[in-house]
């Protein structure tokens, strides 16, 4: 068995699909002058195939370049979204703010009440708020883990509508609770703070919760977010529970240098 055959058999399905895409692009480029010269398309395909089998490293190089361009395009799209949607992202009337509402440095967190990583990251957030008096934390309800998450987010939005001063207490209680977060557990956490359940049920009948969640879904889609927690710090999008140290480093850099890296 040849080295090139081993290479082709070792690739995974996703990589193979990308290889096919690269090869198709390669063929389309070569086919244009070939058509002009009335050269047999099958002959060109044979030449390309033989070349790629003899030089499989060319495919790797092409995939690497393709991935680099895709990353650059995705980053450019995120930067454009951050600029175009800055007002909704940082100052939406539907969002929740913890820390210093007038803070000079803002951190946005997209979270889900059933996200285990979000639960573990809560301590990092509390510590950041304590260590940075100028920090404004914007919370975005981003329920992506099923119907229970959607229900919990709806109740949380109702809490913010009925008693925003109770949201912080409610948020901590529900996020750090054990078991599935859903309508029942969220209502229990909310009433435990002293909010009347009837008031919450009235708020749940309005369009506020649905509109808020749709607003966040749209933002997340534009930013390319696929999971929780995800953060926005300045013009930087951070995906995953990266921990206190990394978030703190980015906040310090944003304060000192105006961007998340100095």
């Amino acid at each position: 068995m040849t080295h090139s055959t081993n290479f082709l058999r070792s690739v995974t399905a996703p990589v193979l699909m990308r290889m096919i895409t690269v090869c198709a692009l390669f063929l389309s480029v070569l086919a244009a002058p070939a058509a002009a010269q009335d050269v047999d398309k099958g002959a060109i395909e044979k030449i390309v195939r033989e070349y790629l089998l003899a030089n499989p490293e060319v495919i790797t190089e092409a995939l690497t370049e393709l991935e680099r361009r895709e990353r650059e395009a995705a980053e450019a799209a995120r930067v454009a979204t951050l600029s175009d949607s800055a007002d909704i992202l940082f100052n939406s009337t539907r969002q929740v703010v913890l820390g210093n509402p007038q803070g000079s440095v803002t951190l946005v967190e997209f979270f889900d009440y059933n996200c285990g990583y979000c639960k573990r990251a809560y301590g990092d957030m509390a510590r950041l708020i304590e260590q940075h008096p100028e920090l404004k934390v914007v919370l975005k309800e981003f329920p992506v883990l099923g119907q229970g998450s959607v229900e919990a987010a709806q109740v949380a939005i109702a809490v913010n509508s009925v008693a925003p001063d109770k949201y912080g207490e409610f948020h901590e209680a529900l996020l750090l609770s054990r078991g599935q977060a859903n309508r029942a557990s969220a209502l229990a956490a909310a009433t435990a703070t002293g909010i009347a359940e009837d008031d919450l049920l009235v708020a749940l009948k309005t369009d506020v919760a649905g509109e808020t969640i749709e607003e966040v879904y749209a933002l997340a889609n534009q930013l390319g977010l696929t999971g929780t927690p995800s953060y926005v710090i300045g013009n930087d999008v951070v995906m995953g529970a990266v921990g206190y140290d990394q978030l703190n480093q980015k906040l310090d850099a944003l304060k000192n240098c105006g961007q998340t890296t100095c």
Side-chain angles (χ1 to χ4, degrees), residues 59-147:
I59 298 175
T60 302
E61 293 171 3
L63 287 173
T64 300
E65 175 62 17
L66 179 61
E67 290 173 354
R68 183 190 68 79
R69 295 185 184 185
E70 288 176 345
R71 286 196 301 270
E72 288 185 351
E75 182 59 27
R78 287 195 185 102
V79 171
T81 296
L82 290 173
S83 176
D84 296 342
S85 306
D87 192 46
I88 294 176
L89 182 62
F90 298 110
N91 302 300
S92 173
T93 56
R94 299 186 175 100
Q95 69 194 20
V96 172
V97 175
L98 301 180
N100 184 351
Q102 307 303 322
S104 57
V105 177
T106 302
L107 182 152
V108 181
E109 180 186 7
F110 292 75
F111 74 98
D112 183 309
Y113 279 111
N114 282 310
C115 167
Y117 293 105
C118 298
K119 294 176 184 291
R120 290 195 286 274
Y122 179 78
D124 298 330
M125 185 65 63
R127 186 179 173 190
L128 288 170
I129 291 174
E130 181 180 354
Q131 296 294 322
H132 297 269
E134 73 290 346
L135 179 61
K136 172 184 176 181
V137 175
V138 174
L139 296 181
K140 299 289 188 182
E141 306 276 356
F142 186 36
V144 293
L145 297 176
Q147 183 59 31

Side-chain angles (χ1 to χ4, degrees), residues 5 10 25 27 59 88 251:
T5 303
S10 68
L25 291 173
L27 284 170
I59 298 175
I88 294 176
L251 287 173

Side-chain angles (χ1 to χ4, degrees), residues 2 5 17 26-27 51 69 77 109-111 116 129 136 141 150 159 176 196 198 212 215-216 226 238 260-261:
T2 65
T5 303
M17 291 302 298
F26 192 14
L27 284 170
Y51 177 81
R69 295 185 184 185
E109 180 186 7
F110 292 75
F111 74 98
I129 291 174
K136 172 184 176 181
E141 306 276 356
V150 173
V159 168
L176 301 185
D198 287 345
T212 300
E215 178 180 280
V216 175
T226 57
V238 182
T260 53
T261 55

Side-chain angles (χ1 to χ4, degrees), residues 36-48:
Q37 300 171 24
D38 199 26
V39 177
D40 181 68
K41 181 180 178 182
I44 294 178
E45 290 177 346
K46 181 180 178 182
I47 293 171
V48 172

